[in-house]
Amino acid sequence: MERKNQNPIVNWIVKSKILGILFFVIIGAFAVYKLGTALFDNPSLFLQQVVNGLQLGFVYALIALGYTMIYGIIQLINFAHGDIFMVGAFASFYSISRYNVHLWFQNLFPSVPVMLAQIIGTVTVILVSMVVCALLAYTIERIAYKPLRTAPRISALITAIGISFFLEYFGALNFVFSPNYITYQRPFAVKSWFVGPSGFGSIESGIAPPAHSIIFSNIFLIIVFASLLLLLVLQYIVKKTKIGKAMRAVAYDKPTARLMGINSDAIISVTFALGAALAGAAGVLYAIAFPQVFFSMGITPGMKAFVAAVVGGIGSIPGAFIGALIMGQAETLSAAYISTPMRDAIAFSLLIVVLLIRPKGIMGETSSEKV
Amino acid sequence: MKKNVLLSLVILFALALAACAPAADTAAAEEPAAAAEGDTIKVASLSPLTGPVPTFGESTKNGFMMAVDEWNANGGVLGKQIEPIVEDSQCTADPAVNAANKVIDQDGVHYIVGEVCSSASIPVSEIAEEKGVLMISPTSTNSDVTLNLDGSTKDMVFRACFIDPFQGLVMAKFASDQGYTKAFVMSDQGNDYVRGLAEVFSEKFVEYGGEIVGSETYTGTDTDFSAILTKVADSGAEVLYLPDYYNVINLVAAQAKEKGVTAVMMGADGWDSSDLDLAAADGGYYSNHYSPDDTRDAVVDWVSKYNEAYGSTPDALATLAYDATNLLFAAIEKAGVDDPAAVATAMEGLSYEAVSGTVTFDEYHNPIKSAVVLQVKDGAINFVASVAP
């Protein structure tokens, strides 16, 4: 029996979404007040925290792109994505610690400047991880997702969760990655610089940088450059190439795309591989920034990147990027100015707030093409 | 979280296996038939000779036997020879309880040196307390080993190692002795070990004239410490006290240098691992129970004696077992009678020069003694100082 609520006040509350808006306004006012006083009290410290947040946000962005692309094409939330990120971090761990891949250019051409050799070495390490992850994701897609193409979406979702657990606990076996927390060797030495009222300079170990300056490291630079570059490459692939056009067509209307002669299975596999390659790159960058690798390291960043993708509007590439940057800032600024143990709670509340106000996410569109 | 599930499954499985295994008493069986009551003083050692941590048991047994042999060679205790009874207690509650009941009821011992692990020592301490047998645990750090549920001290139970928070005091003293006046404290809010150390350090550092310029908590799953480390750099702290385990130290230390943190990192025995990232933690100090590189005569002498007998450098377990056994015999000598209650009273007032420092006992039967401070430097761990509270 259906019961209609006749109370006009209750109806109005439900229709106008007043609760969500109120919640948003209260939280927003509190955040603005907190951050405003923080900025006013110590502007350089605030900017430094923003820089810290950017570093985190750019890594999340790379992971979030994979979520959003796969969702855009087959409406699957690929829960194994965070674990592919973990495999990427481990691939780079082995290529650095066991095979010295980061030194190949230096060894071949000892006369080139060390910095250039290090950059080339690091890029090689990232590429190796991207290839490993792309192949892994391609295999997973063929084995686990392709047979379920016509099955209900929930089946594919459950399979994704299964793959996620498989990758974690297979990785935890002693002869695979082992269940230990392993210290990660960075492919280059860390170098930091400061910039501020007292000018620009490099930081020597053990000497405090001048007051009121902002510190950034070569890790920050490599993360920002690599992420921006990969984003541009991805945008180019999706918008300008034939395969990108096919991806957009499959996302828009799969049966029609197939009628037009597009091999939609192959396109979906390519999408998986592309997303996984980005996760692999993110794994390397994350391990460089926070140098420790372990079998369950993908869970939390994976979750946060997923939230970032939803906040930005799942299915939208620029949305995932913006969502990830917001996520990075929310996390770092709440750790800095509200409470460190509460950082995750605050970051995830952001998801609830955004969904209350704008269920499609910031850049989400009602029904246009995805990807 | 998923890791915890896996771990607890493994532990459950191990427990099941351990419970099925028969209590080993081979060592006791080898002993000659007991001499007539009164001719000898029987002392039992409970240590995990099998089970998850057999190396702990081996070291403990070596330290125990060495002390017994030395006292016997010097004429025994109270003019009587000591009769050692070595039992395997597997670092687990059930076998440890069985072993304790066996040595008390069948062998009639009045004194127990053991157990090594807190989880086994706590049930054994209850039996010892109930049956009026004196127990001294060499290495169990949990405060419940010597305390009853209502917080009162168990009359018959002592330990030879200091409890965890004590290291916070030692490090606070060391830091202020080095001339540092500003400290920043970081702690994992969900870890009792870390929180206890951080609280004691903060309190004592202020007492010694220092200032806590900031303190921050994090959770055990955090990997990004940039926000906290930026605050550390901004606070002008000279010392960053981080008494967590080595895996967290590795992460924090690697990020600290990148954020322009110049504070000296200090920690506790959670750093003590072969997996500590020596390059990242370079320059950091941590406290520990004992170091074989200590330059005090007692330590040099002990290391050479042990090396001669067993061909290896004594670890903390062997040293603390040796100390615990010596403390027990010294207390029996002081009491003058073979009566556990009298010996317990004597132990309370004892001041004894042990290998790991001069030991006296506080009201909770925890020893007050010096700890060592070690420094990570140029890829090695060096002994720096022995700090008495």
Side-chain angles (χ1 to χ4, degrees):
Chain A
M1 187 184 85
E2 204 172 307
R3 205 179 120 248
K4 255 202 156 169
N5 198 331
Q6 296 298 332
N7 189 332
I9 300 172
V10 174
N11 272 344
W12 179 77
I13 288 176
V14 173
K15 266 194 197 146
S16 64
K17 294 183 184 173
I18 186 74
L19 287 179
I21 291 167
L22 258 180
F23 188 51
F24 179 75
V25 166
I26 292 168
I27 299 246
F30 177 68
V32 167
Y33 166 75
K34 265 281 190 193
L35 298 182
T37 48
L39 178 61
F40 187 73
D41 281 351
N42 192 341
S44 65
L45 184 66
F46 184 81
L47 286 176
Q48 179 69 60
Q49 299 290 16
V50 170
V51 167
N52 293 342
L54 274 180
Q55 177 168 329
L56 198 60
F58 274 105
V59 179
Y60 286 162
L62 286 180
I63 316 174
L65 289 175
Y67 273 113
T68 225
M69 280 171 64
I70 292 163
Y71 185 85
I73 292 213
I74 54 171
Q75 280 81 49
L76 166 71
I77 295 162
N78 184 14
F79 275 106
H81 200 62
D83 301 295
I84 289 177
F85 159 91
M86 176 272 290
V87 172
F90 267 98
S92 71
F93 168 74
Y94 286 117
S95 57
I96 292 169
S97 299
R98 197 163 293 172
Y99 302 109
N100 287 323
V101 171
H102 62 300
L103 295 176
W104 74 272
F105 198 77
Q106 223 159 330
N107 292 342
L108 272 183
F109 308 100
S111 53
V112 294
V114 177
M115 199 166 150
L116 180 67
Q118 276 182 344
I119 290 174
I120 293 174
T122 309
V123 168
T124 318
V125 169
I126 295 176
L127 289 175
V128 167
S129 282
M130 289 174 75
V131 170
V132 168
C133 288
L135 290 177
L136 176 69
Y138 181 81
T139 319
I140 291 173
E141 203 275 331
R142 286 278 133 162
I143 295 173
Y145 299 145
K146 196 178 165 225
L148 296 171
R149 202 77 87 211
T150 51
R153 267 164 64 184
I154 191 80
S155 312
L157 186 76
I158 300 293
T159 309
I161 295 173
I163 295 284
S164 164
F165 278 112
F166 171 76
L167 288 177
E168 275 159 35
Y169 292 110
F170 184 70
L173 293 175
N174 269 323
F175 57 88
V176 190
F177 300 145
S178 91
N180 300 328
Y181 286 61
I182 302 165
T183 303
Y184 184 86
Q185 184 198 342
R186 287 165 171 157
F188 51 83
V190 180
K191 186 105 188 70
S192 293
W193 295 272
F194 63 87
V195 58
S198 37
F200 174 82
S202 69
I203 294 175
E204 304 306 326
S205 136
I207 299 164
H212 306 303
S213 51
I214 292 159
I215 300 161
F216 61 95
S217 62
N218 47 3
I219 295 174
F220 173 74
L221 294 179
I222 202 159
I223 286 178
V224 172
F225 281 127
S227 304
L228 285 176
L229 189 70
L230 286 169
L231 175 77
L232 291 178
V233 169
L234 186 70
Q235 275 293 41
Y236 175 80
I237 291 176
V238 171
K239 298 281 179 200
K240 303 277 180 198
T241 62
K242 209 171 163 187
I243 204 154
K245 207 176 208 173
M247 281 163 74
R248 282 180 291 148
V250 172
Y252 195 66
D253 188 338
K254 214 192 295 174
T256 314
R258 196 173 286 159
L259 287 175
M260 298 296 146
I262 293 169
N263 183 350
S264 60
D265 274 337
I267 294 299
I268 290 170
S269 295
V270 167
T271 312
F272 263 92
L274 213 54
L278 294 175
V284 184
L285 297 175
Y286 192 83
I288 289 175
F290 314 118
Q292 194 167 63
V293 286
F294 52 98
F295 72 98
S296 60
M297 66 181 283
I299 299 173
T300 318
M303 278 293 179
K304 290 188 182 146
F306 172 62
V307 171
V310 174
V311 165
I314 193 145
S316 150
I317 287 179
F321 206 77
I322 290 169
L325 292 186
I326 292 175
M327 199 69 189
Q329 293 302 340
E331 214 184 291
T332 310
L333 293 179
S334 49
Y337 294 112
I338 301 171
S339 151
T340 315
M342 290 275 284
R343 65 196 293 179
D344 290 356
I346 291 168
F348 287 121
S349 323
L350 196 70
L351 172 74
I352 299 171
V353 173
V354 168
L355 290 184
L356 278 173
I357 303 296
R358 225 185 124 79
K360 293 275 171 196
I362 293 169
M363 302 282 283
E365 287 159 32
T366 347
S367 71
S368 76
E369 60 187 78
K370 298 282 164 60
V371 177
Chain B
M1 206 176 292
K2 284 170 189 164
K3 194 185 165 201
N4 287 350
V5 173
L6 188 72
L7 239 173
S8 43
L9 272 178
V10 169
I11 291 172
L12 250 172
F13 187 62
L15 280 177
L17 273 183
C20 296
D25 54 356
T26 46
E30 286 162 13
E31 299 299 329
E37 189 76 31
D39 290 349
T40 60
I41 291 180
K42 288 184 190 168
V43 178
S45 158
L46 302 186
S47 61
L49 295 168
T50 65
V53 283
T55 61
F56 287 7
E58 191 62 29
S59 294
T60 304
K61 185 184 137 200
N62 289 349
F64 170 75
M65 287 309 293
M66 210 144 150
V68 170
D69 291 345
E70 277 176 24
W71 281 77
N72 275 342
N74 294 333
V77 178
L78 301 176
K80 297 176 187 172
Q81 285 289 298
I82 302 150
E83 187 187 332
I85 297 170
V86 178
E87 283 290 335
D88 179 15
S89 46
Q90 300 180 13
C91 186
T92 309
D94 274 353
V97 165
N98 290 341
N101 281 328
K102 188 237 161 202
V103 296
I104 296 170
D105 297 338
Q106 283 181 28
D107 301 324
V109 301
H110 293 155
Y111 312 100
I112 294 175
V113 177
E115 225 268 344
V116 169
C117 307
S118 293
S119 52
S121 286
I122 293 171
V124 171
S125 72
E126 276 152 18
I127 296 171
E129 182 73 0
E130 187 192 316
K131 298 193 173 172
V133 169
L134 183 83
M135 160 177 166
I136 178 163
S137 167
T139 47
S140 295
T141 50
N142 191 305
S143 58
D144 287 344
V145 173
T146 59
L147 296 183
N148 288 315
L149 285 179
D150 60 4
S152 59
T153 308
K154 288 173 185 157
D155 294 330
M156 307 299 285
V157 184
F158 294 79
R159 77 176 101 217
C161 56
F162 43 66
I163 57 172
D164 297 328
F166 178 78
Q167 294 183 62
L169 187 161
V170 168
M171 220 55 204
K173 183 157 196 288
F174 177 77
S176 65
D177 285 351
Q178 299 285 305
Y180 296 124
T181 54
K182 290 181 192 167
F184 196 105
V185 178
M186 274 173 75
S187 61
D188 178 350
Q189 58 159 13
N191 184 327
D192 288 343
Y193 165 79
V194 179
R195 220 176 37 201
L197 282 164
E199 278 166 11
V200 173
F201 179 89
S202 307
E203 187 188 315
K204 295 293 173 187
F205 192 68
V206 172
E207 261 175 45
Y208 287 122
E211 185 195 349
I212 302 292
V213 291
S215 66
E216 283 289 334
T217 55
Y218 51 86
T219 59
T221 53
D222 281 356
T223 50
D224 175 16
F225 291 95
S226 57
I228 298 179
L229 289 169
T230 295
K231 284 190 192 176
V232 175
D234 185 65
S235 70
E238 296 161 321
V239 171
L240 172 58
Y241 190 62
L242 178 58
D244 211 324
Y245 298 116
Y246 60 90
N247 59 329
V248 176
I249 309 306
N250 289 348
L251 265 177
V252 176
Q255 291 173 53
K257 297 202 171 153
E258 175 199 339
K259 298 286 170 222
V261 173
T262 51
V264 178
M265 289 185 48
M266 293 188 180
D269 62 348
W271 287 36
D272 189 19
S273 163
S274 53
D275 285 341
L276 182 71
D277 185 348
L278 297 177
D282 194 61
Y285 295 94
Y286 68 92
S287 54
N288 209 341
H289 294 266
Y290 145 88
S291 160
D293 302 325
D294 199 332
T295 48
R296 283 182 300 120
D297 287 345
V299 179
V300 174
D301 187 37
W302 156 246
V303 170
S304 75
K305 264 193 317 203
Y306 189 91
N307 205 2
E308 204 173 291
Y310 299 106
S312 62
T313 308
D315 56 13
L317 288 132
T319 310
L320 288 166
Y322 181 74
D323 280 354
T325 316
N326 279 329
L327 275 166
L328 173 66
F329 296 151
I332 300 175
E333 281 281 340
K334 189 177 169 213
V337 285
D338 177 10
D339 170 32
V343 175
T345 314
M347 187 92 98
E348 281 173 349
L350 192 70
S351 171
Y352 182 78
E353 169 87 26
V355 174
S356 57
T358 304
V359 175
T360 55
F361 287 96
D362 70 7
E363 60 195 297
Y364 307 114
H365 291 183
N366 297 323
I368 302 168
K369 64 175 180 179
S370 51
V372 294
V373 174
L374 307 169
Q375 188 185 24
V376 183
K377 194 80 200 156
D378 301 327
I381 291 170
N382 303 319
F383 171 79
V384 177
S386 171
V387 180

